[in-house]
Amino acid sequence: MPLELFTVGEPIADTKAPRDVPIKDRWNERRFRARLVNPANRRRLSVIVVGTGLAGGSAAATLAEMGYRVKNFWFQDSPRRAHSVAAQGGINAAKNYRNDGDSVHRLFYDTVKGGDFRSREDNVHRLAEVSTAIIDQCVAQGVPFAREYGGLLDNRSFGGAQVSRTFYARGQTGQQLLYGAYQALERQIGLGNVEQHPRTEMLDLIVVDGRARGIVVRHLITGEITSHMADVVVLASGGYSNVFYLSTNAKGSNVTAAWRAHKRGALFANPCYTQIHPTCIPVSGDYQSKLTLMSESLRNDGRVWVPKERGDTRDPREIPEDERDYYLERIYPAFGNLVPRDIASRQAKNVCDEGRGVGPNGLGVYLDFSDAIQRLGKKAIEAKYGNLFDMYNRITGEDAYETGMRIYPAVHYTMGGLWVDYDLQSTIPGLFVIGEANFSDHGANRLGASALMQGLADGYFVLPNTINDYLADGPFPKVDATHPAVVEAEQGVRAQTEKLLSINGTRTVASFHRELGKLMWDLCGMERSEESLRKALDRIPEIRQEFWTNVKVSGEQGIFNQNLEHAGRVADFIELAELMCVDALHRNESCGGHFRAESQTPEGEALRDDENFAYVAAWEYTPEGVPPVLHREALEYEYVHLAQRSYK
C-alpha cells in the first residue's frame, strides 16, 4: 500500500503480562507481582471514572469500596440510563452447569477463534478465568437470573459456541446486571465515597508531565465548563457505532471521550473492527434515527430462512417447508443458526443481494419460531423471550408468534478502541480504559454475550487489581485550576465551543451525521474494498471541510443545548471515520467483521493473511494534513493454533 495515507512508527508491545509462566497462571502471577496500596493510603488517592455502564459503574463502586476517593461522571440524568441497560441476551461464564463440556479453556478458545485470531491471548484467557466469579458476584447482588425448575441457574446457547454457557434474565439481562452495579454504586454514593457528577460530558483529557491527571467537562444543563483533577483517570465511555448514524446504540452514545484522549496521545487500536449484528429490525424509512436489536438469544429457538425463489412476496405462513431455504442450517450444519455474528450477517446480506430478501424493501430475512412453539408451547417461548416479542410488536405492528420476525444486519458493537496493556492502561500513564472503550478482548468479532462479561470483568475484578500498581507511586503532586495544562485544555474546549456556535451555516448537524453514516455504511460497512475505501477517503475530508464552514448550531453555550452537544460529537465522528477507513484500507485481508471483498475463500468466507497482518494496528494521532502513524503489536499464539475458521 502506498504510504501517503499513513507512516509506520515503532512497534508496540504489552509488557505487563508475565510471559515467564504458563497462561493459566499469568493472571494470578500478575496480581501477586503488582504492588499494593495499603488501606490508609487509599483514602489519600483519587480516581476519576467516566461512565456508569457495566464497566464504569462496577469500577466506580468497587474502587470506592476499596477506599479510594472516586469522582464519577456521566452524561445521562441517572447511572441507570447507561447504554448497558439495553443489552438483552445474556452473559457468558465457563461454569459448565449443563455438563456439556465447557471449561475456562473452551471459552478462551471459542473467544479467540470467534475473534478470527486477532485478539491477544493473555487478555482473553484472563477474561475466561474471571467469568465464573462474575456470576457469583451478580447472584450475591440479587440479579434475577433465569432458573430451572429445581432452582439452579439456567443457561442458553449463543453464536460461536457448541455449549450452553450464557446466563440470562429473559431478554433484559443488561438491565438487571446494570441495576446490580447501580445499587453497589449508589451505596458508595450514600456513604460519601463517590462524588457524583450527572449530566456532564467529558470534552478533554488533562495531561500533566506525561500523566493523565484530570478531565475537562461541560455541564449539559447549565453549559458550565469546568476541570476536575485526580491521581488517575478511568475511561468507561463505551463504543463508537454511532459513527454509522444508524446503529443499535443509544442516540447519545459517542466517541468523544475516547477520541479526545486519543488526540492527547493515547493510541487508538483496530478502529476498523466493527460488529454487524444479524438480528436487528430492518430499516423502515429514510429519516429513522436509530435501529433496534432483537437479541441473538432468539436464534436458539428461531430458525432463519428466506424463500428459495426470488421475488416471493407471499405471507410466510403460505410458503411451504420445501420452498424455504434455511440457509444457515444448510451451509453450517455443525452450528446452524448459532454461527458467529459476522458470518450470520454476511450470509443474510448474500441472500438479500440474490433477490430473496423479504419485507417491503427486500432487506430482511425471517426468524421463525413456529417449530419451537409447536415443540415447547407458546407459554415456554413467552417465558424466555416475551419482552422481545412485545417490543417487536410495538415497533412493527406484527405478531412474531404468528409470522416470525423480519430481521436484517445492523451495526451494533465496536471491537476497536483505545490500546491498553494487560493492566488496562493506555499509552498515557495514568489513563486506564475499560469495557467497550478499549480494544483488548474480542479481536475482529465479538461473540454474543461477551460484552457484558468483559464490562463486569474489567470493572469488578481486573482494574481494581491492576490500578493499585500504578497508584502505589501516588499521591502525585497536586494540580489545580491554575496549572498551564489545565488552562490550555479548558481554553481549547471553550474555543471549539465558540467556533461551532459562530459558523452559523445552512446545514444542520443531523444532516452531516446522516450523510457521514450512510457513507460509512455503504463504503466501510459489512463489506469493504480498496475502491470503496478510497472513495470514502476522498469524500470524508470534504465533509469535514463543509462541516466546519457550513454547519448551523443554534442556541447558546451557557444553556441546555443538545444541538451543541451533537455538533461536538459529530466533529469527532468525522475524524474517527477517516481513521477507520485508513485502517480498513491498510489491512488488506478479511478477518471477522472486517470483510475485504478482495480477500475471501472460494466459498465466500473471510480469508486472513496471518503472514502479514497478525498484529494489532495501534494508531497515533497526528494533526490534520499529516498522515497518522501506525504502531504494530505482534500477536503471538502459544495456546490456540492459527487456522481458517470453520463452523461447518
Side-chain angles (χ1 to χ4, degrees), residues 3-12 259 262 265-271 419 427 579 582-583 586 615-633:
L3 291 181
E4 71 269 13
L5 293 177
F6 66 94
T7 59
V8 178
E10 292 296 315
I12 190 170
W259 190 254
H262 172 55
L267 299 187
F268 205 112
N270 300 334
W419 185 93
T427 49
L579 183 62
V582 170
D583 188 36
H586 112 275
Y615 60 76
V616 175
W619 295 92
E620 177 185 340
Y621 179 80
T622 53
E624 183 178 355
V626 179
V629 181
L630 169 64
H631 300 271
R632 298 185 177 99
E633 177 197 344

Side-chain angles (χ1 to χ4, degrees), residues 222-235:
T222 66
E224 183 183 10
I225 294 171
T226 56
S227 297
H228 301 263
M229 266 57 76
D231 292 296
V232 69
V233 176
V234 178
L235 291 189

Side-chain angles (χ1 to χ4, degrees), residues 87-91 145 167-177 452:
Q88 298 168 349
I91 177 171
F145 286 120
F167 295 77
Y168 65 98
R170 288 186 94 196
Q172 302 167 320
T173 313
Q175 180 192 66
Q176 299 304 321
L177 292 173
L452 308 188

Side-chain angles (χ1 to χ4, degrees), residues 297-521:
S297 63
L298 293 165
R299 290 198 276 151
N300 273 283
D301 290 301
R303 300 177 70 193
V304 179
W305 66 275
V306 291
K308 288 184 177 179
E309 298 298 325
R310 298 181 181 182
D312 191 337
T313 59
R314 288 178 290 175
D315 185 296
R317 292 167 292 187
E318 298 176 1
I319 302 177
E321 281 289 310
D322 61 356
E323 296 181 31
R324 299 180 178 188
D325 180 12
Y326 295 92
Y327 58 88
L328 292 179
E329 299 172 27
R330 171 174 56 81
I331 301 172
Y332 307 101
F335 282 73
N337 295 296
L338 289 176
V339 293
R341 292 173 174 178
D342 60 315
I343 291 175
S345 295
R346 282 197 296 275
Q347 292 299 346
K349 178 180 184 297
N350 289 342
V351 295
C352 290
D353 289 348
E354 292 170 4
R356 297 193 287 144
V358 301
N361 55 10
L363 294 178
V365 300
Y366 288 122
L367 183 60
D368 193 308
F369 297 88
S370 55
D371 280 3
I373 291 172
Q374 184 176 3
R375 184 178 73 255
L376 303 172
K378 183 177 178 180
K379 287 187 177 180
I381 299 302
E382 285 178 335
K384 287 184 178 180
Y385 315 113
N387 65 301
L388 299 172
F389 279 68
D390 292 343
M391 183 165 62
Y392 182 85
N393 177 258
R394 288 195 298 271
I395 292 172
T396 66
E398 300 171 7
D399 185 352
Y401 294 107
E402 295 294 327
T403 63
M405 294 179 179
R406 287 183 298 107
I407 58 170
Y408 191 70
V411 180
H412 177 52
Y413 187 90
T414 52
M415 287 75 67
L418 295 182
W419 185 93
V420 292
D421 61 18
Y422 194 62
D423 284 359
L424 303 183
Q425 186 171 204
S426 74
T427 49
I428 299 176
L431 176 66
F432 289 77
V433 189
I434 59 178
E436 192 179 357
N438 75 35
F439 88 101
S440 65
D441 290 5
H442 306 298
N445 175 64
R446 177 177 69 80
L447 292 184
S450 286
L452 308 188
M453 176 174 61
Q454 186 209 346
L456 292 182
D458 287 357
Y460 281 138
F461 299 106
V462 179
L463 181 73
N465 282 287
T466 61
I467 202 170
N468 295 324
D469 190 67
Y470 178 81
L471 287 173
D473 289 328
F476 301 102
K478 184 175 177 59
V479 176
D480 61 27
T482 64
H483 192 284
V486 179
V487 173
E488 182 268 332
E490 266 198 39
Q491 287 178 343
V493 168
R494 295 180 192 279
Q496 175 164 322
T497 301
E498 292 169 2
K499 182 174 181 180
L500 287 169
L501 290 167
S502 69
I503 296 170
N504 198 29
T506 62
R507 284 190 62 179
T508 65
V509 177
S511 73
F512 280 103
H513 195 180
R514 191 178 292 113
E515 180 185 358
L516 178 72
K518 186 176 188 309
L519 178 144
M520 290 297 288
W521 176 250

